[in-house]
Amino acid sequence: MEHLTPTPPALTTGRDTVFTPFNIVSGIIILIGCVITVLRFTRGIGGVSNLNDTNPWGLWIGFDLYCGVALAAGGYVTCAACYIFGLKQFRCAVRPAVLTAFLGYGLVVFALNYDVGRPWRLPYPIFLSQGTTSVLFEVALCVFLYLSVLMLEFSPVAFEWLNWKRARYIIGKVSMVLIIFGIILSTLHQSSLGAIFLITPSKLHPLWYSGYLPVYFFISSIFAGMSMVIFEHSLVARFLHDKIDAEHHLESNNVALGFAKSAAFLMAGYIMIQIIGIAIDNDWKYLPTRWGLWYLIEIIGFVAIPAILYAIGVRERNIKLIQRTSLWAVLGIVLNRLNVSLIAFNWQLPLNQRYFPSFMEIMTTIFIVTIGVVIYRFVVTRMPVLYAHPDFPDDH
Amino acid sequence: MGITRRQFFGWMGAAVGSQMAFTAQAKAAGTAHFTGYPGSMGVLHDISRCIGCRKCEAACNQVNHLPAPETPFDDRAVLEKIRRPHAAAFTVVNQYKPKGKPGPVFVKTQCNHCMEPACVSACFVKALTKSKTGAVVYDASLCVGCRYCMVACPFNIPAFQYHNPLTPEITKCTLCQPRIQKGLRPGCVEACPQEALTFGKREELIKIAKQRIGAYPERYEDHIYGENEMGGCNWLYISNTPFTGINMREDLGITPAPALTAGALAAVPVVVSLWVVFINGLRAISKRKEQIATEEKSQAVSAAVLSEQARFNNEIKQLKEKAKTEKEAAITREVKKALEAAARGPSENGAGQTPPSPKPSGTAHPEKQENN
Amino acid sequence: METDFNTLQEFLTHTKGIAYLLIGVALVALPLFWRFITGRDGKKQTF
């Protein structure tokens, strides 16, 4: 019975000192990040990054935006599983997934402030001058709307924490609308990130370029989201186990099994449409090349093998294997997004014209990820994310 | 029935006709052919005439008020390296030494002012627009600095002021739009001593190019670069050496850039509309299933309750009867005992044995209740 | 509505602008119609 009572909010996992190893390391990273921020806004993008005229997008777009959005897909996937497909056992996974998505999207927008030339103009495409023929316009609109939706989807947690019963009641009334809207926006947004590169058939390697890019991105975002939920749960169970109540504890294994099963099958479908894409464009001749090898490493090594391991894990009810595979699948998605946006982009250029991120670019990315981890910890150690709030037990 | 054959066929005709009309219209959009702004201007660059003097670069620098370069424009040493347009230079001349050519070949590079520009299609704030004059112009007051235009451009033309921390702009050739509007020729064209650059209406330029190729077929490649590349450009090239050898890609295709993303964008409203329908439908199905499940459960529960109740009542009845007979037996026994005692003597009132209380075995409310 | 377009870009700017407005219409109209469809359903059937 002791699990049913949620642990009272405690400062930095209950220890008295703030100088825990976690706090020291994250503090140093955040300090470095602040220095780079100052440099970015005094010396310009060229002063801190290796970006140039031929390689206008680098790590900040390739990782922070592309991977950030893909890995934030857990939010809409879990919401859809629980509320649209009626799989009630996923209910306890909704809040952590929505929090991850909210943080993910928030950090994507935060990272954009470093990457775009004049970040204070980021609202321009939505409010001032709508370039409707641009895929990026769709992306901007979706990010803006979905971030708002995620904030509202997550707000009940904050309201429960603050004990604002009235606000919590009102938001509960529109939660279904928010969830449906969120799923639509995610579908569009995940796919449009792939569609961004439809305009560059001459720059993106044919094995990655395809008319199906939006579909690839959408389908892979679904199993990315599922893998991320499984992976996140394994981390939480390891490092924040005192924040989890009994229901979450019991259900997290079912969530892992359910998502691993779906992800494995989706990955199989994804591999099929990848092969179909090659056949449609007659790109077979690229397979026995170095780029073809790299492509096969991505598809076989980071999609097919995780799919098989998921399948074995599901058949044998091996949660450990599923959790390990989830990290593998997450890395596979990261690899795919980096391939499309950076590695296979500008593939014909000679090596000396290719891009490699600078130290400060990499540090900025680490800084942003660290902020995410710190905020995640702050929230789950205080707010009813991983446990049901005693005053609002059934709204969870 | 009021419907005559004639009426019926009339309706059919109308239905089919409207269908046809609709299809025809849809087709009109599908196969619509856009030929660009009539009378738009362009430049024909005859690569065979270029001598690499870089006077066009100097003129461009001057008319666009760009910062002075590190090495002067008459320093031909810069030609040793392949350059591209950048924030301080809207145009550059490069030197190539293609195989099978005795001397070097010089190519001027700048914005090709596509008829259907990828950068304009990609710009999400309409900072880049295609002007009726033919120029692709840039409005810095709208630009966010996302650099998607640079990603999109198949010719790698737009550049960015990477070292401007707060107000960076995209930089590229403007076809000297301010000069064109004043009736002047672009700076580079005016400066060219070799007439390697010809300014004029695009249609006229194509005619000139065809004439030159026709007149000297052994000198020119039979290809007007920019006539069809990426849907066509206002800047055209003819060359005395294959374009691929002088860093001009011939594998770009003829699909105009906006057409590459039009399909994906067309799917957006369809996805929104159908997702609303599908999601509502899925939710209704899962709710209905849930409801059926609860109904079945409650039916099963009430059935179980009923049978249990009956069993219970039956048991109670049996027990009651049993108790009754036992009680009667006990009473007769007691009476007998009392009588015997009375017959034996007074006092010693034995503790009366209470009849066994009925023990119900089933509960009225089974525990199998939904607990969600 | 009779507009002449010289470029595909012009044509798409026009049509995509309308398409985005129609997205808004779809988002409002379709759920309202769903409510109308299910408006007479019994109180117990909440879908």
Side-chain angles (χ1 to χ4, degrees):
Chain A
M1 284 303 281
E2 57 176 89
H3 271 302
L4 284 172
T5 42
T7 328
L11 256 159
T12 57
T13 61
R15 260 164 267 165
D16 288 321
T17 173
V18 289
F19 293 105
T20 58
F22 175 84
N23 287 3
I24 292 169
V25 172
S26 54
I28 291 169
I29 293 171
I30 288 171
L31 215 67
I32 297 172
C34 292
V35 174
I36 296 173
T37 309
V38 172
L39 289 175
R40 153 67 183 89
F41 288 101
T42 50
R43 287 208 222 153
I45 296 170
V48 293
S49 73
N50 279 349
L51 296 173
N52 57 42
D53 290 330
T54 318
N55 299 290
W57 285 355
L59 190 69
W60 294 341
I61 295 292
F63 186 83
D64 300 16
L65 187 123
Y66 269 81
C67 298
V69 166
L71 299 181
Y76 87 92
V77 171
T78 314
C79 280
C82 180
Y83 296 106
I84 305 304
F85 292 88
L87 305 166
K88 287 283 158 14
Q89 69 268 32
F90 290 96
R91 204 172 48 176
C92 64
V94 167
R95 279 191 173 188
V98 168
L99 172 64
T100 315
F102 182 38
L103 278 179
Y105 273 79
L107 292 172
V108 163
V109 175
F110 182 69
L112 279 179
N113 283 285
Y114 290 82
D115 187 76
V116 304
R118 308 192 204 197
W120 41 93
R121 285 185 175 179
L122 278 173
Y124 274 22
I126 294 150
F127 297 107
L128 193 72
S129 177
Q130 294 82 9
T132 47
T133 58
S134 172
V135 180
L136 198 61
F137 171 75
E138 190 201 336
V139 172
L141 196 64
C142 287
V143 171
F144 166 71
L145 290 173
Y146 191 44
L147 189 60
S148 315
V149 166
L150 277 171
M151 196 182 73
L152 290 173
E153 276 183 4
F154 184 70
S155 65
V157 178
F159 291 153
E160 286 177 14
W161 180 53
L162 298 164
N163 210 14
W164 293 358
K165 294 211 161 93
R166 178 101 194 112
R168 173 67 187 82
Y169 174 76
I170 293 166
I171 203 79
K173 285 271 150 203
V174 294
S175 63
M176 212 52 232
V177 176
L178 287 176
I179 284 161
I180 293 176
F181 200 38
I183 294 167
I184 294 172
L185 283 169
S186 289
T187 310
L188 294 178
H189 178 221
Q190 297 287 353
S191 56
S192 59
L193 279 182
I196 283 273
F197 286 102
L198 285 179
I199 206 163
T200 63
S202 60
K203 293 186 180 179
L204 183 58
H205 191 281
L207 285 173
W208 283 273
Y209 184 89
S210 162
Y212 296 132
L213 261 178
V215 184
Y216 293 163
F217 269 58
F218 174 57
I219 299 300
S220 57
S221 83
I222 301 175
F223 62 74
M226 290 171 173
S227 302
M228 197 61 193
V229 168
I230 299 170
F231 180 58
E232 192 191 312
H233 255 289
S234 70
L235 286 186
V236 165
R238 187 149 174 204
F239 296 109
L240 294 160
H241 49 84
D242 53 331
K243 303 296 169 215
I244 310 173
D245 69 12
E247 195 200 344
H248 283 80
H249 222 82
L250 281 172
E251 292 294 358
S252 76
N253 284 356
N254 288 335
V255 168
L257 284 170
F259 272 170
K261 191 188 281 174
S262 322
F265 207 38
L266 268 163
M267 287 158 115
Y270 176 76
I271 292 168
M272 265 329 289
I273 59 172
Q274 282 278 353
I275 297 170
I276 291 167
I278 292 176
I280 293 285
D281 293 338
N282 205 21
D283 286 334
W284 302 107
K285 58 181 174 292
Y286 295 103
L287 283 179
T289 64
R290 279 189 193 177
W291 283 105
L293 180 67
W294 183 237
Y295 172 81
L296 290 175
I297 287 175
E298 180 197 313
I299 295 298
I300 295 173
F302 288 86
V303 186
I305 293 178
I308 290 165
L309 289 179
Y310 269 150
I312 294 170
V314 168
R315 285 168 60 92
E316 295 176 353
R317 297 283 181 275
N318 186 343
I319 301 294
K320 263 259 136 23
L321 178 63
I322 288 174
Q323 287 178 341
R324 281 183 190 150
T325 309
S326 71
L327 173 62
W328 197 337
V330 164
L331 289 176
I333 289 299
V334 170
L335 180 65
N336 170 257
R337 297 307 193 252
L338 289 179
N339 270 341
V340 171
S341 61
L342 296 179
I343 298 169
F345 187 79
N346 271 341
W347 65 287
Q348 335 83 326
L349 289 186
L351 211 58
N352 60 356
Q353 286 182 41
R354 295 299 309 273
Y355 158 89
F356 192 83
S358 73
F359 170 74
M360 282 201 267
E361 272 178 280
I362 297 170
M363 275 319 290
T364 310
T365 297
I366 294 174
F367 160 63
I368 287 166
V369 173
T370 307
I371 292 181
V373 175
V374 169
I375 298 178
Y376 186 91
R377 241 175 70 118
F378 178 89
V379 172
V380 296
T381 50
R382 283 162 182 79
M383 301 186 195
V385 176
L386 301 171
Y387 56 85
H389 194 286
D391 293 351
F392 308 87
D394 268 352
D395 296 329
H396 208 39
Chain B
M1 296 306 284
I3 310 169
T4 62
R5 262 174 73 97
R6 181 182 280 255
Q7 247 175 327
F8 177 75
F9 281 114
W11 289 346
M12 287 291 282
V16 172
S18 65
Q19 194 78 25
M20 296 269 277
F22 184 76
T23 332
Q25 257 174 20
K27 248 201 162 151
T31 56
H33 186 57
F34 304 98
T35 48
Y37 295 108
S40 67
M41 310 303 283
V43 175
L44 172 66
H45 177 27
D46 190 334
I47 290 169
S48 69
R49 294 185 182 182
C50 185
I51 54 165
C53 66
R54 295 182 70 212
K55 288 218 161 60
C56 51
E57 285 190 43
C60 179
N61 179 281
Q62 198 198 341
V63 299
N64 290 301
H65 313 289
L66 296 173
E70 283 168 33
T71 49
F73 283 107
D74 50 15
D75 180 5
R76 287 174 63 94
V78 292
L79 290 172
E80 294 305 317
K81 259 173 72 181
I82 301 295
R83 298 171 297 151
R84 58 153 288 158
H86 52 93
F90 295 172
T91 185
V92 291
V93 176
N94 280 313
Q95 174 182 251
Y96 297 96
K97 286 166 183 157
K99 268 178 250 154
K101 275 274 154 201
V105 175
F106 300 96
V107 184
K108 178 182 181 296
T109 304
Q110 73 300 304
C111 175
N112 287 329
H113 299 275
C114 304
M115 313 251 288
E116 303 285 358
C119 58
V120 173
S121 171
C123 183
F124 72 159
V125 282
K126 291 184 184 165
L128 287 156
T129 42
K130 177 77 178 170
S131 160
K132 285 187 170 54
T133 61
V136 176
V137 288
Y138 169 69
D139 178 0
S141 72
L142 290 171
C143 182
V144 181
C146 71
R147 308 191 293 287
Y148 187 30
C149 50
M150 299 164 68
V151 168
C153 179
F155 304 107
N156 276 329
I157 294 301
F160 185 70
Q161 296 173 336
Y162 279 106
H163 291 280
N164 180 342
L166 297 176
T167 56
E169 293 179 10
I170 293 290
T171 60
K172 68 168 210 60
C173 162
T174 64
L175 201 63
C176 280
Q177 173 83 337
R179 288 170 64 86
I180 293 177
Q181 282 165 340
K182 276 189 237 160
L184 297 167
R185 294 187 297 166
C188 53
V189 177
E190 217 159 67
C192 183
Q194 289 299 103
E195 288 189 9
L197 300 171
T198 315
F199 177 71
K201 288 198 172 112
R202 187 177 184 269
E203 303 99 87
E204 304 294 324
L205 295 177
I206 290 176
K207 277 180 202 155
I208 296 173
K210 281 181 178 161
Q211 275 166 12
R212 285 191 201 166
I213 295 172
Y216 304 100
E218 70 292 339
R219 175 175 176 161
Y220 289 107
E221 288 292 311
D222 189 17
H223 179 186
I224 306 173
Y225 194 96
E227 189 183 7
N228 296 311
E229 269 75 12
M230 294 299 285
C233 306
N234 281 52
W235 204 290
L236 304 160
Y237 303 80
I238 48 174
S239 168
N240 54 350
T241 178
F243 289 101
T244 310
I246 50 173
N247 209 10
M248 293 176 78
R249 293 183 63 176
E250 290 180 281
D251 60 347
L252 297 176
I254 58 167
T255 311
L260 292 168
T261 52
L265 286 172
V268 172
V270 175
V271 167
V272 173
S273 305
L274 294 184
W275 254 224
V276 172
V277 173
F278 289 158
I279 291 175
N280 255 311
L282 271 174
R283 226 172 80 76
I285 291 168
S286 62
K287 274 205 156 184
R288 180 80 188 122
K289 270 189 182 160
E290 219 169 82
Q291 196 192 9
I292 291 170
T294 18
E295 264 168 19
E296 276 174 354
K297 211 182 224 175
S298 67
Q299 269 172 11
V301 164
S302 56
V305 166
L306 276 179
S307 72
E308 197 73 356
Q309 200 92 42
R311 203 165 65 86
F312 178 66
N313 287 346
N314 207 19
E315 224 162 89
I316 293 265
K317 216 162 134 195
Q318 282 177 353
L319 280 171
K320 267 187 184 161
E321 262 162 33
K322 200 177 164 195
K324 208 173 156 194
T325 46
E326 267 177 13
K327 207 174 178 183
E328 271 165 10
I331 286 169
T332 41
R333 210 163 49 231
E334 284 300 303
V335 167
K336 220 171 155 187
K337 250 193 217 168
L339 285 175
E340 274 170 17
R344 245 191 268 132
S347 80
E348 278 180 53
N349 219 349
Q353 277 169 318
T354 46
S357 62
K359 245 205 275 173
S361 59
T363 46
H365 302 283
E367 282 141 35
K368 285 190 290 176
Q369 256 191 1
E370 206 197 345
N371 202 14
N372 274 355
Chain C
M1 287 297 280
E2 250 334 290
T3 335
D4 275 337
F5 302 108
N6 288 306
T7 61
L8 176 63
Q9 175 64 26
E10 258 186 354
F11 173 78
L12 289 177
T13 309
H14 179 76
T15 54
K16 299 298 179 207
I18 294 173
Y20 273 107
L21 294 178
L22 287 175
I23 290 175
V25 172
L27 278 174
V28 176
L30 289 172
L32 284 178
F33 186 57
W34 178 250
R35 286 192 68 174
F36 176 72
I37 296 170
T38 56
R40 291 271 173 92
D41 286 357
K43 269 264 148 50
K44 277 169 97 179
Q45 289 170 305
T46 44
F47 56 87

